[in-house]
Amino acid sequence: MSESETHLDDGPIVVGVKPGIPLRIIETAERTAASFGCEVVFAYVELNSALVELDDTELRTRESLDPKMDDEMAGVAAEVGDMLEGALAGSEVSWSFRVLAGDPASALSRLAADLSSRMLVVGTRRHGGLHRVEEFFAGSVAKSLAMGQDRPVLLVPLSRIDH
């Protein structure tokens, strides 16, 4: 990539989603994609799964991000897919949905790299004590992506009314 080129020149927008995600994140991604004239790839990372290859030195394949899902995981993925279908009904933006495996920040980052994504879109953490405890133990996906990316990350703030 030359100095004059940026990730904003081409590629889709990758958006991290999960069950119950506020519509504000989906709408922000849709409007951003419309303004760029690009596709949106929504991605849900299944936490109860692992990557096919765990060693950074091994050859990675397209299948390595895809989890082997049981019925419960498939149900959650279907719920997220249905939510996206409803939120994007009538949208002129081309979009797709992926279910990934592993650590959310790593999986989203890797998908963005594999797709030559122009940017990532994720929500920030919710307010409140319970969410701070969750972030302490699990870490913040938004923070991990913002600190460890070579492409832009659009952070959509969540307010108290978004949950």
Side-chain angles (χ1 to χ4, degrees), residues 100-111:
L100 309 176
D103 169 70
S106 297
L108 291 170
S109 180
R110 188 158 147 216
L111 178 64

Side-chain angles (χ1 to χ4, degrees), residues 30-120:
E30 178 189 26
R31 283 193 310 268
T32 303
S35 70
F36 282 119
C38 70
E39 177 187 4
V40 181
V41 178
F42 292 95
Y44 164 62
V45 182
E46 177 52 59
L47 296 173
N48 296 323
S49 60
L51 292 175
V52 173
E53 299 104 355
L54 296 174
D55 184 349
D56 287 340
T57 61
E58 290 183 27
L59 176 66
R60 304 249 187 239
T61 64
R62 175 174 213 117
E63 291 76 33
S64 66
L65 281 174
D66 299 322
K68 296 185 191 290
M69 295 195 292
D70 61 21
D71 290 341
E72 182 181 348
M73 292 176 192
V76 173
E79 176 187 330
V80 175
D82 290 346
M83 176 198 58
L84 291 169
E85 290 272 346
L88 297 165
S91 174
E92 294 185 19
V93 171
S94 176
W95 65 276
S96 60
F97 175 55
R98 295 274 310 265
V99 179
L100 309 176
D103 169 70
S106 297
L108 291 170
S109 180
R110 188 158 147 216
L111 178 64
D114 287 353
L115 298 176
S116 298
S117 171
R118 66 180 64 221
M119 74 171 55
L120 286 139

